[in-house]
Amino acid sequence: MSLRKAVLQRITPLPSRTPSPSLPHEWPQSPDTEAVFPDLAAQREHEPDEHIATRPKSPEFMASAGVVKRWRVSITDHAAALPSELASVSLSGSVKRDPDLWFDDGNIVLLCRDTAFRVYRGLLTRHSVIFRDLFSMAQPSTSETVESCPVVHISDPPDDLRYLLRVMCGLRKFPIIPGERMQFAELAALIRMSHKYHVEDLHARAMHHFKLYFTNDLAVWDTAGVDGNLFLHITPPDAITAINLARLTHTPSVLPTALYLCCQLDAELTAGIERPDGTTERLDPKDLELVLRGRTELVRASTRGACTICKPSPSAQCASKGCERALREVLNMMLDGLQKDPIGDIAGYAALDSWEHWIEDVVELWPLCEPCRAMLHARDLDVRRDVWKRLPHFMGVTVEDWKDPTAAGATAPAPAK
């Protein structure tokens, strides 16, 4: 086997966290609570809406003009029609009590499909105005009861509600301690449920963890790996869920990296990812189109990066006459690889991957002086910084707070692993 073929077979970019449009301005509009429950609306005609007026104005929910963003949440999806007469019911054999979230002194029962949770009404209403509105419709004199507790029907997946209640009832520490990694499915459920039920503090903490992995900062990105970071365990298809969460919460800074990771997927890109409740989460067709277009941009960026790194120009401090010739051989090898496999390890979708390990392999076969070796590593870093800077454009989205690693004063990325 020729030396060139031997090197071609060894070309493998550094393993990394990768496995191989603009957002609407307005929040999703859903019917107001008053529209869903006319009785509640009539009651409030004579009462000021104090919980809205006195709610803390967290920076997470402030518009540019300083006006609180009010979440428009529909409770029709999980509030069942209440019977007009008292009905005392018992849990059927198909309905099970949650072993951790059934408190004997609880004063309200949440019936979620085949699971019942007996919890504390005051605890939940203290943190969620949506729960307060729901529970105001469930009075012992007018609703079905279990062991004298009013029953409220919830249509959310039981696992999602369980994750939310465990945190709200103090059974789950959150934020978590570094090293005690949370599964992404749990974090996604907390984001969805805290958004839906307007649990502001929990939502802010969950979004903080979310954005630690799907970050807008290259230095932070390089501290994580393909399976997550110190706080979060993630799998490649979870990027599909991340995109949907970014759309739900209007968090554009998450989209470039989430779309980038979706570009690395194979069958999961169209098949979707299965949730614990058996449903399948898929990309919106518009986001799928962004991924397919983004792949083209990433292949171009990878090709440009490979040619930039292998440019046959030695360092200004080169201490060996053989370096220029060696660099030409490296470039020829690279071009041969591109011709044989246009979309492969050299020009693939993982344009953010470092070529550090590949550079060390090249140096073994074509010895370079120390200044030229350092030059190749510096080129690799410059290429990755340029790709990061352009990533929102490659992915077809606009992010106002995207951090440019090439700007003066930018934090240097951590050494590639």
Side-chain angles (χ1 to χ4, degrees), residues 241-261:
T241 303
I243 291 175
N244 293 336
L245 289 174
R247 297 299 190 188
L248 173 69
T249 60
H250 287 206
T251 313
S253 66
V254 167
L255 288 172
T257 50
L259 289 165
Y260 172 80
L261 291 178

Side-chain angles (χ1 to χ4, degrees), residues 57-357:
K57 295 177 175 58
S58 169
E60 286 286 326
F61 307 102
M62 297 291 289
S64 57
V67 180
V68 175
K69 298 178 183 176
R70 182 177 182 180
W71 289 0
R72 306 296 300 277
V73 182
S74 170
I75 57 178
T76 56
D77 294 337
H78 49 266
L82 301 175
S84 57
E85 297 180 358
L86 175 64
S88 180
V89 300
S90 60
L91 300 180
S92 64
S94 61
V95 177
K96 59 182 182 295
R97 299 180 179 184
D98 187 272
D100 296 325
L101 291 162
W102 185 272
F103 300 103
D104 291 338
D105 58 342
N107 52 12
I108 198 159
V109 172
L110 306 183
L111 189 56
C112 186
R113 301 185 186 179
D114 62 347
T115 306
F117 306 88
R118 184 172 179 176
V119 290
Y120 303 102
R121 173 177 181 155
L123 182 63
L124 271 57
T125 57
R126 180 184 305 171
H127 299 284
S128 168
V129 65
I130 304 302
F131 275 132
R132 194 182 84 171
D133 287 347
L134 277 174
F135 298 164
S136 68
M137 300 298 296
Q139 301 296 332
S141 60
T142 59
S143 70
E144 57 182 320
T145 62
V146 170
E147 299 180 8
S148 301
C149 293
V151 175
V152 174
H153 293 264
I154 306 291
S155 65
D156 299 292
D159 286 337
D160 283 10
L161 184 60
R162 183 180 295 109
Y163 287 136
L164 177 67
L165 294 177
R166 281 175 58 84
V167 174
M168 296 185 73
C169 294
L171 301 183
R172 177 69 156 111
K173 292 183 179 180
F174 191 78
I176 55 178
I177 301 173
E180 296 182 3
R181 303 170 75 196
M182 173 182 284
Q183 295 296 322
F184 185 76
E186 180 178 357
L187 180 64
L190 289 176
I191 293 173
R192 280 192 299 266
M193 297 295 282
S194 63
H195 179 271
K196 179 175 183 177
Y197 290 99
H198 203 174
V199 188
E200 291 189 15
D201 180 61
L202 174 57
H203 184 74
R205 286 179 282 160
M207 291 300 295
H208 172 73
H209 282 290
F210 185 40
K211 292 188 286 187
L212 275 180
Y213 187 81
F214 296 97
T215 177
N216 63 348
D217 189 339
L218 179 59
V220 177
W221 171 269
D222 280 343
T223 63
V226 65
D227 65 340
N229 54 25
L230 288 175
F231 303 94
L232 186 64
H233 181 271
I234 196 168
T235 63
D238 288 330
I240 294 174
T241 303
I243 291 175
N244 293 336
L245 289 174
R247 297 299 190 188
L248 173 69
T249 60
H250 287 206
T251 313
S253 66
V254 167
L255 288 172
T257 50
L259 289 165
Y260 172 80
L261 291 178
C262 279
C263 289
Q264 321 303 321
L265 299 178
D266 293 321
E268 305 96 335
L269 187 59
T270 53
I273 180 172
E274 185 175 350
R275 286 185 179 179
D277 65 344
T279 60
T280 301
E281 186 153 15
R282 293 184 174 88
L283 287 178
D284 182 87
K286 292 183 179 179
D287 286 324
L288 180 58
E289 183 179 353
L290 291 179
V291 171
L292 297 179
R293 291 182 178 179
R295 281 181 166 181
T296 301
E297 296 294 338
L298 292 174
V299 168
R300 292 172 178 168
S302 294
T303 304
R304 287 194 302 267
C307 293
T308 298
I309 293 172
C310 298
K311 184 179 179 181
S313 300
S315 168
Q317 291 79 36
C318 179
S320 172
K321 294 182 180 180
C323 286
E324 184 174 355
R325 179 181 177 183
L327 289 172
R328 290 187 181 278
E329 287 294 328
V330 172
L331 178 61
N332 290 334
M333 175 200 69
M334 186 73 69
L335 295 176
D336 284 350
L338 287 172
Q339 185 176 12
K340 294 176 181 178
D341 189 7
I343 304 180
D345 290 330
I346 298 174
Y349 305 131
L352 280 173
D353 283 8
S354 173
W355 289 84
E356 187 176 60
H357 287 183

Side-chain angles (χ1 to χ4, degrees), residues 352-371:
L352 280 173
D353 283 8
S354 173
W355 289 84
E356 187 176 60
H357 287 183
W358 176 87
I359 292 171
E360 293 304 315
D361 286 346
V362 164
V363 171
E364 279 187 32
L365 296 167
W366 287 289
L368 297 173
C369 68
E370 190 59 34

